[in-house]
Amino acid sequence: MRAQRHAARSPASAILSAVIFNALIIIALIPLALRGVQYQPASAASLLRRNLLVYGLGGLVVPFIGIKIIDIAVNALAIV
């Protein structure tokens, strides 16, 4: 029989991956917070469309992908 290599997926590795992801996001957002953003007049429809894209995609989809990639790396390096 061939031995199969199983990556140990555990709650500890998922939590560590989420903490690492959040730390990286905080570090990435500090320059943006310090610099600020410029006010640009726009219609309500265009603001809604842009905010749904930025915060919907950036707030829901990107964290899942980022945490999964970090989790794969954590398990590959056998950190947890």
Side-chain angles (χ1 to χ4, degrees):
M1 268 196 230
R2 248 168 78 190
Q4 292 182 350
R5 184 176 167 197
H6 294 286
R9 304 273 194 256
S10 68
S13 73
I15 292 169
L16 178 62
S17 300
V19 168
I20 292 170
F21 179 80
N22 286 331
L24 293 173
I25 291 298
I26 289 170
I27 291 169
L29 291 177
I30 287 173
L32 178 66
L34 292 175
R35 185 186 60 189
V37 293
Q38 292 181 350
Y39 172 74
Q40 297 176 350
S43 69
S46 70
L47 282 175
L48 178 62
R49 189 177 327 108
R50 181 180 180 278
N51 287 343
L52 283 175
L53 178 67
V54 170
Y55 298 113
L57 181 66
L60 295 175
V61 176
V62 173
F64 284 105
I65 295 169
I67 290 170
K68 182 62 177 179
I69 291 169
I70 294 170
D71 190 41
I72 291 169
V74 164
N75 284 309
L77 297 172
I79 295 173
V80 174

